Amino acid sequence: MRIEIYKKGRAVKQNYDWKEELRSRISSADELLEFMPDLPESPLFRRLYASVEDFRKVAEAMAGEFRFSVTPYYLSLANLENARCPILLQILPRREELEDQVFQFPDPLAEDSHHPVDGLTHRYPDRVLWYLSHNCAVYCRFCMRKRKVSRSNSAPDRSSYSAALDYIRNHKEIKEVILSGGDPLSHSDQTIQFLLTELRTISHLSSLRIHSRMPVTLPSRITDQLTDVMRQAFPVTLVTHFNHPVEITEEATSAVRRLRMNGVTVLNQTVLMRDINDSTQTIEELMLGLLRIGIKPYYLHQCDEVHGVSHFRANIETGLQILRDLQGRNPGIAIPRYVIDLPGGGGKVPLENQYLRRRTDDGLEFENWSGLKFTTVQDREDK
Ligand SMILES: *Cc1c(COP(=O)(O)O)cnc(C)c1O
Ligand code: SF4
């Protein structure tokens, strides 16, 4: 089934390139139904929509807000027999997105009010986020930048690059630039090369980082030309975005391998989402799977409070429990940091379990991962 859709989407040629694959994306309700004629019979579809007509209506109503578009590759990972298929849940437009009563604001993180120049969000003194593109290979329904992503208008264009570069050059406190979006890898290799080369000449930068979901949604984007560009700009860190173990495929593995072999440090961020990955078993399998293909888990995100996303949110207690379950039972390097981005522009803070329990006459009492108590004498003299 997976191979079927993928091949159809690859057009007829064997030697397709990633741009062709992008052009052959499935981008409307009708196209989706054509590619997946069995979709309306699936338990997931029946749960989400009253009828095919209903689905069409929802898709149409959402189209102006946040596009539907999926690569044949990513769609081929769907499993119609799974009532909670994590692939379909991430891409299918739903009525809840329009009717969200819980998360009210399009920009809860106040990114648009920390804009010194077009495209740059400078919230933390030492890091800037450079919003380079509205485009992504797949539009994820839970996207925290829905207000901008997938729109065809007003993405910062090339003419804004020099203003952004000047700003970075003139602010010596900036230690890291994060190329973000949308997906910055939707730009050509030449553009990526231009940006990385320019940034490399700025001596106060310690780190160049790229945030891209393409290793997950369009692995063919990781071409030899692109990895050459990244090798020349060494060291580059790429933070990608796997949310579920089914996304760890042969294609994704090979893309990550090519990045690693060319000197790119590959990290991952995952959004914790109800019904998709909010269980210890899924997160554990995902984190170990990432490690196995050469990725260091970086963040597990609590869902941002963006309008139209609240049906995805998982309980913070669930997240903390998952982290508690991972601790001590998994390699430390497989354990991501669980974070929440505070509404109002407060930035990210870690969500952590308390292992330091209390101060006793003997010192500090800790509870370890398995619930046993241990006391250290450290700090006994201090108080
Ligand atoms: C998340 C974020 C960053 C990067 O934060 P790290 O904790 O370094 O990964 C930078 N700027 C903004 C505005 C962010 O939201
Ligand atoms: S790839 Fe990232 S920016 Fe693009 S839609 Fe998905 S979450 Fe949003």
Side-chain angles (χ1 to χ4, degrees):
M1 145 94 162
R2 119 148 238 228
I3 303 305
E4 272 306 288
I5 294 175
Y6 194 16
K7 276 195 185 139
K8 260 200 252 174
R10 273 178 169 181
V12 260
K13 293 203 303 180
Q14 281 295 312
N15 251 344
Y16 69 100
D17 79 0
W18 65 276
K19 286 183 187 150
E20 280 180 70
E21 207 178 331
L22 269 187
R23 279 196 295 274
S24 58
R25 278 183 302 179
I26 293 113
S27 300
S28 70
D30 284 335
E31 270 177 29
L32 180 62
L33 291 165
E34 188 187 322
F35 264 95
M36 287 192 134
D38 299 336
L39 180 65
E41 307 307 321
S42 70
L44 181 121
F45 190 93
R46 285 161 172 265
R47 183 160 65 82
L48 299 187
Y49 312 102
S51 62
V52 170
E53 233 3 80
D54 181 43
F55 168 60
R56 281 209 178 90
K57 239 193 276 168
V58 172
E60 204 162 292
M62 280 307 303
E65 291 285 316
F66 190 67
R67 280 170 58 189
F68 165 77
S69 201
V70 57
T71 53
Y73 162 77
Y74 194 69
L75 187 62
S76 77
L77 309 181
N79 176 359
L80 289 179
E81 274 148 40
N82 183 353
R84 291 179 175 186
C85 171
I87 302 298
L88 292 174
L89 282 175
Q90 289 184 68
I91 58 168
L92 288 179
R94 286 165 67 170
R95 192 175 300 284
E96 289 96 317
E97 295 174 40
L98 284 167
E99 296 168 354
D100 193 346
Q101 300 293 324
V102 183
F103 293 167
Q104 308 277 347
F105 304 108
D107 182 23
L109 308 182
E111 290 190 328
D112 292 344
S113 55
H114 290 83
H115 259 329
V117 298
D118 207 16
L120 290 188
T121 298
H122 193 180
R123 166 168 309 132
Y124 303 106
D126 63 317
R127 278 156 285 174
V128 290
L129 199 90
W130 195 349
Y131 183 92
L132 282 163
S133 163
H134 284 327
N135 301 322
C136 302
V138 167
Y139 293 109
C140 320
R141 307 317 297 183
F142 52 84
C143 180
M144 50 93 75
R145 296 212 180 97
K146 279 188 156 178
R147 67 186 187 282
K148 303 203 281 195
V149 169
S150 99
R151 311 278 158 110
S152 52
N153 56 334
S154 76
D157 61 13
R158 283 197 85 118
S159 63
S160 73
Y161 290 177
S162 59
L165 287 165
D166 283 345
Y167 181 88
I168 297 164
R169 258 185 220 107
N170 294 332
H171 286 78
K172 300 234 177 332
E173 74 276 19
I174 299 173
K175 301 191 182 69
E176 180 179 61
V177 176
I178 303 171
L179 307 184
S180 182
D183 205 308
L185 295 189
S186 48
H187 285 292
S188 67
D189 296 340
Q190 288 75 12
T191 301
I192 307 288
Q193 179 166 36
F194 167 77
L195 293 168
L196 290 177
T197 309
E198 287 294 313
L199 290 168
R200 265 288 160 252
T201 64
I202 304 176
S203 59
H204 57 268
L205 295 180
S206 301
S207 167
L208 299 186
R209 199 197 309 185
I210 298 176
H211 280 189
S212 171
R213 206 176 180 205
M214 290 205 182
V216 185
T217 52
L218 183 72
S220 62
R221 174 65 189 96
I222 313 303
T223 57
D224 291 346
Q225 293 91 299
L226 181 68
T227 53
D228 276 348
V229 166
M230 295 205 192
R231 193 182 60 239
Q232 282 155 24
F234 177 86
V236 171
T237 300
L238 185 138
V239 182
T240 190
H241 182 167
F242 287 83
N243 284 328
H244 195 279
V246 299
E247 294 169 341
I248 303 176
T249 60
E250 218 173 283
E251 291 90 338
T253 301
S254 147
V256 171
R257 187 181 176 80
R258 275 174 276 138
L259 287 164
R260 292 292 316 271
M261 292 302 192
N262 284 281
V264 180
T265 300
V266 184
L267 308 178
N268 185 71
Q269 41 190 348
T270 294
V271 180
L272 187 67
M273 286 181 284
R274 192 168 68 196
D275 282 358
I276 295 180
N277 60 13
D278 63 337
S279 74
T280 297
Q281 196 194 343
T282 305
I283 294 292
E284 186 169 56
E285 199 184 320
L286 175 61
M287 299 306 152
L288 290 173
L290 291 172
L291 211 57
R292 199 173 299 125
I293 68 169
I295 299 180
K296 161 77 185 95
Y298 178 44
Y299 278 150
L300 179 66
H301 288 275
Q302 184 62 23
C303 218
D304 290 322
E305 294 183 14
V306 174
H307 179 69
V309 165
S310 69
H311 54 292
F312 283 111
R313 76 189 188 282
N315 287 327
I316 289 183
E317 271 310 318
T318 308
L320 286 171
Q321 183 60 48
I322 291 172
L323 265 284
R324 217 167 12 240
D325 293 342
L326 297 184
Q327 182 69 33
R329 295 181 176 87
N330 285 277
I333 54 171
I335 302 179
R337 216 160 186 215
Y338 182 32
V339 291
I340 182 166
D341 218 326
L342 298 173
K348 291 186 213 25
V349 291
L351 286 159
E352 274 165 4
N353 291 294
Q354 267 304 341
Y355 293 97
L356 171 57
R357 301 315 289 244
R358 60 192 184 112
R359 188 178 290 280
T360 70
D361 290 344
D362 296 331
L364 297 177
E365 185 184 276
F366 290 85
E367 187 178 295
N368 83 344
W369 58 275
S370 68
L372 296 174
K373 303 261 193 315
F374 296 84
T375 299
T376 118
V377 296
Q378 292 188 54
D379 273 10
R380 190 164 51 174
E381 313 298 328
D382 299 351
K383 294 276 143 60

